Amino acid sequence: MVIPLMKQAADGPGTDEQATLRCGAVWADGAVCAVEARRALQAFLAHVPCTGRTPVPAPLAIDAELVVSELVTNAIRHAPGPCGMILRLSGDELAITVWDTSAEQPVVRKRDGQRFGGHGMHVVHAVSAEVTVASLGVGKQVTAHLRAAPDVATDVDAVAMMDDNPAA
């Protein structure tokens, strides 16, 4: 059973690309699966253009689905009790926070092709610009910050301008 924390809404008026768009959900003990969490993410991302914002680029959406799957699966496997997810989109950054009731910190294990499982946090770190873990009174929250890849054409143009201007 999903219990919505808040509706998808911008904090500020209008369609400012920098205003934060937020959505969250909390699940009762044993009531969530990674598929359900990915559906919540997909609904959030599908809502983004309805707010007048530019749609989230497909590569960022794919990475976000991977992060949601890994973080929610970790919460299911390693923490008794409820868990929740908060999604925040601001500018070109999508922050995915998953909280649970376990105080145990997630471990990034070395890559090992012979091991089955245990690669999730390594993958989360690989696709995220930053990953933070914060202890809560009961449990913890893990936040992955994902950013859209820079526009290659814009970067090439910027480099060409700098090459044309030796004073830059």
Side-chain angles (χ1 to χ4, degrees), residues 76-160:
I76 294 167
R77 285 188 179 164
H78 303 292
C83 68
M85 177 174 72
I86 301 168
L87 306 169
R88 292 182 310 275
L89 179 66
S90 180
D92 68 345
E93 180 179 279
L94 174 62
I96 300 168
T97 300
V98 174
W99 60 265
D100 62 42
T101 59
S102 172
E104 186 178 325
Q105 300 291 304
V107 176
V108 180
R109 297 181 184 173
K110 286 186 173 186
R111 294 173 59 186
D112 180 355
Q114 303 301 312
R115 183 181 65 236
F116 179 77
H119 301 278
M121 287 308 294
H122 180 77
V123 172
V124 169
H125 279 268
V127 301
S128 302
E130 179 182 14
V131 178
T132 60
V133 180
S135 295
L136 303 174
V138 174
K140 68 178 167 311
Q141 68 180 25
V142 180
T143 303
H145 300 269
L146 287 79
R147 293 191 181 94
D151 183 3
V152 175
T154 303
D155 288 350
V156 169
D157 292 342
V159 170

Side-chain angles (χ1 to χ4, degrees), residues 4-112:
L5 287 177
M6 58 198 97
K7 294 186 178 182
Q8 299 167 348
D11 288 342
T15 58
D16 182 2
E17 290 275 337
Q18 298 302 317
T20 302
L21 187 65
R22 299 169 194 243
C23 177
V26 62
W27 294 277
D29 185 14
V32 66
C33 64
V35 170
E36 199 172 318
R38 282 194 309 271
R39 285 186 187 136
L41 170 70
Q42 291 164 349
F44 176 73
L45 297 178
H47 180 71
V48 169
C50 299
T51 67
R53 295 166 181 262
T54 304
V56 171
L60 179 60
I62 291 167
D63 287 349
E65 284 191 36
L66 180 62
V67 168
V68 164
S69 290
E70 294 297 341
L71 294 181
V72 169
T73 298
N74 283 352
I76 294 167
R77 285 188 179 164
H78 303 292
C83 68
M85 177 174 72
I86 301 168
L87 306 169
R88 292 182 310 275
L89 179 66
S90 180
D92 68 345
E93 180 179 279
L94 174 62
I96 300 168
T97 300
V98 174
W99 60 265
D100 62 42
T101 59
S102 172
E104 186 178 325
Q105 300 291 304
V107 176
V108 180
R109 297 181 184 173
K110 286 186 173 186
R111 294 173 59 186
D112 180 355

